[in-house]
Amino acid sequence: MKVEQIYTGCLAQGAYYIESEGEVAIIDPLREVQQYIDKVEKEDAKIKYIFETHFHADFVSGHVDLAKATGATIVYGPNAVTKFDTHVAKDGEEFTIGKARIKVLHTPGHTLESTTYLLLDEQGKESAIFSGDTLFLGDVGRPDLAVKSDLTQAELAAMLYDSLRNKIMTLPDDVIVYPGHGAGSACGKNMRKETVGSIGEEKETNYALREDMGKEEFIKEVTEGLAPPPSYFPKNALMNKEGYESINEVLDRGLQALSPGGFEAAANETTALMLDTRDPETFAKAFIPNSINIGIDGNFAPWVGALIPDIKQPILLITENGREEETVTRLARVGYDHAIGYLKGGIEAWKNDGRTVDSIESISPKKFEEIYKSKNPLVIDVRKPSEFEAEHVKDAKNLPLDFINDNMQSFTQDEPQYIHCAGGYRSMIASSILKARGFENVINVQEGFKGISETDVPKTEYVCPSTLK
């Protein structure tokens, strides 16, 4: 028997490959499914089942495409209703993979259909759970994403409490925990960086599994301090529930190479957003006017989801050469399927064609220190409120990047604005958005608060974030 975790860092997401005697189960596959098909062909095996732990909100699963390509059966837990063929399992139902078995443990709470899959190894021993968003390492799934008019987050949290106490905590301590997500995911608030644990470890360290914790205390702690979910979450959940366009069609559309003239014509004739995915500092030096920077080498997909409200928004891409397919794929992972082409040859081709470029002034922390001491400038900190409250530049204003589109009136045209975040990634996104909206006095501070911390710029006293409410 083989169990393999296929972890995707940019989504902090774990998919799983389970094989016994040439039969394979895939749990929570990513949108691009060729990797699983290649793997079973290489190992002369066959995908028999595709198990979905729930209707994911933070990414589009590859279950529909993978089932079409392999003939495998899609399995959901109780309460799931889909617009494509699926097997809705009963609580306790078992599925055979070679000599191993997978048992359905219905664990509602994160969502109503949330299900944990228990692996019984080839000797019949309870070996591992694939817990989806029911149990993470250090946390549990947030219960506010499936709220409906007839169901509150407190009621869902109460269900989650019962699921954990009755279905998960009763398992042996040596059962391995394979969660759906790790640190960095917006599906929980306190996940550890590790991606594999055990029931025993979670009982000892996970705040939500404290033995003496009552239901009311659990509801209070699990629902406290939750940030608003990204706006694309319900749209991704709907795609996972109703189906979607094939990833191959999405790639065909997005990978149309456009000359500078064709790119400009497409931009003028459509409502496409020009998305530049290069490194922030490279972007700052020269970019197509009115384009937005969200660097591919960062939390790309979550920031696309947070800042581009319409999931069907046409998008024109400016990327590093050779990273076009990766960019279209990573957009599709979160449901942004309408990339309509990319600039062939990138920004160099644009400049070589004699076309206009724009730039953003980006200064070192040392230069910022000099300006701060001589001019007392307007400083905008685009980190999250919790980061700002922990420590910030004295007199800085906190306007989190997450809500920049709602806070545009809080920025000014009257004086230079020095924008920083934690390390320089988010501040360049913010600076590019402001530039595209006509704010000319925008100066980015390189290295963000990390760089500023090493200067003598006055800062507030540090407060440990874990003590903040």
Side-chain angles (χ1 to χ4, degrees):
M1 186 182 75
K2 178 187 291 184
V3 178
E4 186 175 332
Q5 182 182 63
I6 304 170
Y7 200 77
T8 303
C10 65
L11 290 175
Q13 188 266 351
Y16 295 93
Y17 177 97
I18 305 159
E19 185 269 334
S20 174
E21 301 286 314
E23 292 186 341
V24 171
I26 305 289
I27 297 180
D28 293 339
L30 281 186
R31 182 83 182 267
E32 64 275 25
V33 299
Q34 192 59 44
Q35 58 182 320
Y36 312 113
I37 297 168
D38 292 344
K39 188 172 179 62
V40 292
E41 287 179 354
K42 183 179 177 182
E43 303 201 12
D44 194 24
K46 178 179 174 58
I47 299 176
K48 188 175 182 181
Y49 294 112
I50 303 158
F51 292 98
E52 290 287 302
T53 55
H54 63 297
F55 293 123
H56 310 283
D58 59 318
F59 72 99
V60 179
S61 177
H63 54 319
V64 175
D65 270 354
L66 189 57
K68 286 178 182 173
T70 64
T73 300
I74 300 170
V75 179
Y76 273 97
N79 296 328
V81 178
T82 68
K83 287 193 174 180
F84 45 83
D85 289 339
T86 191
H87 178 95
V88 178
K90 298 175 183 173
D91 188 29
E93 188 172 347
E94 293 187 4
F95 297 83
T96 302
I97 307 293
K99 291 182 178 178
R101 287 174 289 148
I102 291 179
K103 184 176 181 179
V104 173
L105 304 179
H106 186 212
T107 49
H110 175 63
T111 64
L112 283 175
E113 79 286 354
S114 277
T115 294
T116 296
Y117 296 104
L118 172 63
L119 176 63
L120 304 164
D121 68 17
E122 292 167 336
Q123 286 71 47
K125 180 180 181 298
E126 294 174 331
S127 170
I129 57 169
F130 304 90
S131 55
D133 289 15
T134 295
L135 175 65
F136 299 126
L137 304 186
D139 205 351
V140 293
R142 51 192 294 177
D144 61 320
L145 301 182
V147 170
K148 297 177 182 176
S149 58
D150 58 344
L151 204 59
T152 68
Q153 66 177 17
E155 289 169 327
L156 281 161
M159 289 182 192
L160 185 58
Y161 178 88
D162 291 335
S163 294
L164 291 164
R165 263 64 188 174
N166 299 331
K167 300 282 184 67
I168 303 296
M169 293 175 68
T170 54
L171 294 169
D173 283 355
D174 63 351
V175 168
I176 298 169
V177 177
Y178 290 114
H181 291 290
S185 165
C187 294
K189 59 181 179 180
N190 194 35
M191 289 179 245
R192 295 205 303 271
K193 64 180 181 181
E194 294 81 5
T195 62
V196 180
S198 72
I199 293 290
E201 289 170 356
E202 290 313 297
K203 285 180 181 175
E204 289 181 5
T205 61
N206 191 323
Y207 77 97
L209 300 193
R210 286 201 310 270
E211 195 172 352
D212 61 350
M213 194 179 211
K215 186 179 286 189
E216 291 306 315
E217 188 181 7
F218 176 89
I219 293 170
K220 181 176 184 298
E221 290 202 26
V222 166
T223 58
E224 191 173 65
L226 291 173
S231 60
Y232 73 98
F233 270 28
K235 298 164 187 169
N236 276 198
L238 193 65
M239 290 175 74
N240 284 321
K241 190 173 185 178
E242 297 188 349
Y244 44 73
E245 190 176 23
S246 161
I247 185 68
N248 292 330
E249 294 176 41
V250 175
L251 287 169
D252 287 345
R253 180 168 53 237
L255 293 178
Q256 295 188 68
L258 301 171
S259 66
F263 188 92
E264 185 171 49
N268 290 335
E269 293 168 7
T270 70
T271 57
L273 180 150
M274 293 183 289
L275 179 61
D276 191 320
T277 63
R278 294 175 296 149
D279 169 79
E281 287 304 321
T282 305
F283 170 85
K285 292 171 185 169
F287 56 87
I288 298 175
N290 298 321
S291 57
I292 303 298
N293 173 243
I294 303 179
I296 194 77
D297 292 324
N299 287 325
F300 175 70
W303 281 118
V304 167
L307 298 171
I308 304 177
D310 183 1
I311 204 167
K312 296 182 179 177
Q313 168 72 54
I315 296 172
L316 285 164
L317 293 169
I318 306 102
T319 74
E320 293 175 30
N321 289 330
R323 302 191 74 176
E324 300 85 5
E325 181 170 343
E326 176 191 0
T327 305
V328 177
T329 300
R330 288 174 66 173
L331 286 170
R333 283 179 183 167
V334 286
Y336 288 78
D337 288 358
H338 296 274
I340 58 173
Y342 70 92
L343 177 60
K344 185 179 181 182
I347 196 70
E348 291 306 316
W350 184 266
K351 289 192 290 188
N352 292 338
D353 205 47
R355 295 174 186 275
T356 304
V357 294
D358 201 350
S359 63
I360 290 173
E361 185 178 358
S362 188
I363 62 173
S364 68
K366 196 66 183 173
K367 180 68 176 176
F368 174 69
E369 180 184 27
E370 293 172 11
I371 294 169
Y372 188 92
K373 288 180 176 177
S374 63
K375 297 181 181 176
N376 191 26
L378 174 58
V379 181
I380 307 290
D381 183 335
V382 296
R383 296 178 298 165
K384 294 180 183 297
S386 59
E387 296 173 277
F388 182 81
E389 290 165 13
E391 190 180 17
H392 59 264
V393 172
K394 189 178 177 186
D395 297 328
K397 189 174 182 180
N398 185 214
L399 295 171
L401 175 61
D402 308 57
F403 309 109
I404 190 170
N405 290 321
D406 298 326
N407 290 330
M408 203 55 67
Q409 75 286 353
S410 300
F411 294 91
T412 179
Q413 294 276 17
D414 298 336
E415 59 181 309
Q417 304 173 87
Y418 292 80
I419 315 284
H420 81 81
C421 58
Y425 179 79
R426 284 175 283 178
S427 61
M428 189 57 73
I429 298 174
S431 298
S432 70
I433 292 172
L434 291 171
K435 263 279 193 177
R437 300 286 182 89
F439 291 86
E440 292 299 328
N441 285 321
V442 175
I443 299 102
N444 177 66
V445 182
Q446 299 166 7
E447 303 173 40
F449 194 75
K450 179 176 178 293
I452 296 171
S453 297
E454 295 170 0
T455 70
D456 290 332
V457 171
K459 295 170 271 295
T460 59
E461 193 169 338
Y462 176 75
V463 179
C464 180
S466 64
T467 66
L468 293 169
K469 291 293 183 183

